[in-house]
Amino acid sequence: QAAQSMVLITFLVQDHVYWLLKVGIFKFTNYTPIQWHRRNLRFIILSHVLNFSLCVREIMQVKTKLQDAEAKGDEAAIKKAKSTIYDNKRMMVRYVLTFIQMLHVSQVKKMDDWYIGFMGMISSYIDASKQWTPTVSAPPQLAPTGATPPEQIRGA
């Protein structure tokens, strides 16, 4: 996890340097702003590999807890472990998709834009679906205009 944090810090510093190059505050003779940006994107590729490996490690750890919970018959622990494994597998798919996208965007490997875009839609769906949990309930239904509210019908 420390390596992943170091990669992210390096990316953020280089991203700021890219911005300074783009606005003309810095000038490098060996790199244009876009060359610097593509170089920087390669650090993010490493970050996706590290995140993928962290998910694999967590799945292996949770599987041992799942076996213990199944032996004890602890349904809550079983449900939690299966949910954690499922979430990590989804994130592994996301990391693979974004890894491939970064290979394309950084021009390490040139690919066709249509399936890179499709991968982007899938990875965005995975990210967005984490924001909308099933525990969020729908807002209460309002009575149609002109209808009498239920409290007035009951004499409340």
Side-chain angles (χ1 to χ4, degrees):
Q1 212 157 10
Q4 198 272 344
S5 295
M6 290 303 299
V7 168
L8 183 60
I9 289 168
T10 303
F11 170 79
L12 292 173
V13 168
Q14 289 191 353
D15 194 49
H16 285 81
V17 170
Y18 167 67
W19 180 79
L20 293 169
L21 283 167
K22 186 110 172 142
V23 297
I25 295 173
F26 281 0
K27 299 220 183 290
F28 291 164
T29 57
N30 295 337
Y31 291 103
T32 65
I34 195 67
Q35 288 171 325
W36 184 267
H37 183 60
R38 287 182 185 138
R39 178 183 177 276
N40 193 22
L41 290 174
R42 292 177 184 160
F43 283 96
I44 291 300
I45 293 171
L46 178 59
S47 176
H48 293 306
V49 171
L50 293 171
N51 284 332
F52 184 91
S53 63
L54 288 173
C55 286
V56 170
R57 184 181 71 179
E58 186 172 356
I59 287 173
M60 291 179 358
Q61 291 171 346
V62 171
K63 280 186 176 182
T64 59
K65 292 178 184 177
L66 177 61
Q67 291 173 345
D68 293 342
E70 286 173 338
K72 294 177 184 174
D74 186 355
E75 291 300 320
I78 291 171
K79 185 177 178 181
K80 181 179 178 188
K82 286 183 177 182
S83 175
T84 301
I85 290 170
Y86 174 77
D87 289 343
N88 275 289
K89 285 181 178 180
R90 281 174 50 106
M91 291 308 296
M92 289 170 67
V93 169
R94 181 194 174 277
Y95 293 134
V96 167
L97 294 174
T98 51
F99 174 84
I100 294 169
Q101 290 172 321
M102 287 298 113
L103 286 176
H104 174 72
V105 173
S106 66
Q107 294 189 343
V108 170
K109 173 76 174 144
K110 184 72 175 143
M111 296 174 246
D112 199 342
D113 287 338
W114 78 266
Y115 58 83
I116 296 299
F118 187 70
M119 290 179 193
M121 291 183 343
I122 294 170
S123 60
S124 293
Y125 168 76
I126 292 170
D127 288 339
S129 66
K130 292 187 298 183
Q131 304 301 316
W132 299 307
T133 61
T135 57
V136 176
S137 62
Q141 296 294 321
L142 299 175
T145 306
T148 307
E151 295 81 22
Q152 290 178 353
I153 294 173
R154 284 181 263 158

